[in-house]
Amino acid sequence: MTQRTEHSREQAKNIIKIQYWTPLAARHKLGAWEILDAGYSERHRAYHTWEHVVGLLDRLAEFSELSTRTDIIALSTLWHDVVYRTENCDGTPRQDYENVRDSAELFRQYTLLNQPDADAVYDLIMATAGHVLATAKKQHYAGFSGDFDLFLDLDLSSLAAPWEEFIADFARIRFEFSSVPEIIFCSRQIQILENFAREDVRLYRRAETSGKWRDAARANLKRCVGDLNKRIVELSAAQG
């Protein structure tokens, strides 16, 4: 990790702690911040870091007028990637669902929210395991389904980033999967990205976010899939 990266992460953490965590701290048991910091500061992470979280929280602030309970979405954002590992202790691949489930359970351990609010945060976190297929099965409060859709849109907002930022994020994700051979990584990513890019997939759920991000995201996804297919051809030819 470069000194610049460490500085950037430290800046992101400080912004979150002062601007976003302080109003929510009393809703947690002692030690919650330390658990969050330990998770998002792990050295094997490159994309799922404090920088990712602060980006989502900043976009939440931008679209806050669309939310019913901004606090619930902010809490879900803080906890949704606190557990993130790409392989198990024995070296076998770790499914993303396991990270999401463990993040949600860790939130449960440290929250002091009442049961309906805690259930709402839990369900938002768990929805990130399915994204485009996820549905709000219970209305924990009036307006929950709208917050559910907004939270998932925010989590996919990076797909619509300018191309240079998009491929930089992709490189960070590749770093997190550095133990996976490149041809396998590329093949898996094609499957994920093609699923998001399908014409019948409602990538963004809210009209406001879809209008802002959909076209850029689809262009990025199409371009990235094309580049990955070319890279697989190159790697296959090299293997001969």
Side-chain angles (χ1 to χ4, degrees):
M1 187 188 302
T2 66
Q3 185 176 3
R4 180 178 178 181
T5 300
E6 289 178 346
H7 179 65
S8 180
R9 290 189 181 182
E10 194 66 23
Q11 282 184 318
K13 181 177 76 171
N14 289 337
I15 290 170
I16 289 172
K17 189 169 186 180
I18 295 168
Q19 187 171 340
Y20 296 106
W21 173 255
T22 299
L24 301 171
R27 306 185 197 189
H28 296 83
K29 298 174 184 176
L30 290 177
W33 172 258
E34 288 72 19
I35 289 294
L36 287 166
D37 188 33
Y40 289 111
S41 299
E42 289 173 325
R43 296 187 69 83
H44 69 267
R45 301 192 189 209
Y47 176 77
H48 296 87
T49 64
W50 279 127
E51 293 164 290
H52 169 59
V53 176
V54 79
L56 296 183
L57 290 171
D58 286 346
R59 285 189 281 277
L60 171 59
E62 179 183 352
F63 287 96
S64 60
E65 74 280 357
L66 301 182
S67 66
T68 300
R69 293 282 305 274
T70 304
D71 59 325
I72 294 295
I73 300 177
L75 285 164
S76 304
T77 302
L78 283 166
W79 286 95
H80 80 293
D81 280 330
V82 65
V83 176
Y84 187 81
R85 296 188 294 275
T86 58
E87 59 181 37
N88 297 307
C89 294
D90 61 0
T92 57
R94 182 174 170 83
Q95 300 300 312
D96 188 54
Y97 173 83
E98 297 176 84
N99 290 323
V100 175
R101 177 202 61 205
D102 290 352
S103 295
E105 292 298 336
L106 202 53
F107 159 76
R108 285 275 199 207
Q109 291 179 35
Y110 282 92
T111 186
L112 292 174
L113 292 176
N114 61 46
Q115 193 66 44
D117 285 356
D119 289 346
V121 173
Y122 185 91
D123 283 359
L124 287 183
I125 295 171
M126 290 304 300
T128 64
H131 272 294
V132 296
L133 299 178
T135 57
K137 298 177 181 177
K138 183 177 180 180
Q139 296 301 311
H140 299 289
Y141 53 82
F144 175 75
S145 60
D147 285 353
F148 184 95
D149 288 348
L150 178 60
F151 173 65
L152 290 177
D153 286 357
L154 295 174
D155 198 36
L156 293 182
S157 60
S158 62
L159 296 179
W163 176 248
E164 293 76 14
E165 185 178 334
F166 180 94
I167 57 174
D169 284 344
F170 192 83
R172 295 182 185 103
I173 292 172
R174 176 65 182 118
F175 177 85
E176 293 177 340
F177 286 88
S178 56
S179 64
V180 178
E182 187 174 3
I183 195 166
I184 295 175
F185 173 79
C186 291
S187 298
R188 290 176 181 171
Q189 290 299 308
I190 287 172
Q191 292 178 344
I192 293 169
L193 299 181
E194 283 185 334
N195 185 53
F196 284 140
R198 288 194 346 247
E199 289 296 328
D200 60 335
V201 166
R202 191 171 142 207
L203 187 59
Y204 298 109
R205 298 159 179 249
R206 299 294 297 263
E208 298 86 351
T209 52
S210 183
K212 183 169 185 177
W213 294 330
R214 181 188 58 199
D215 291 346
R218 290 196 179 280
N220 284 341
L221 291 166
K222 182 178 180 180
R223 184 174 178 180
C224 189
V225 168
D227 288 351
L228 288 172
N229 277 314
K230 291 177 184 177
R231 182 59 179 156
I232 287 176
V233 171
E234 292 172 357
L235 291 168
S236 298
Q239 290 176 358

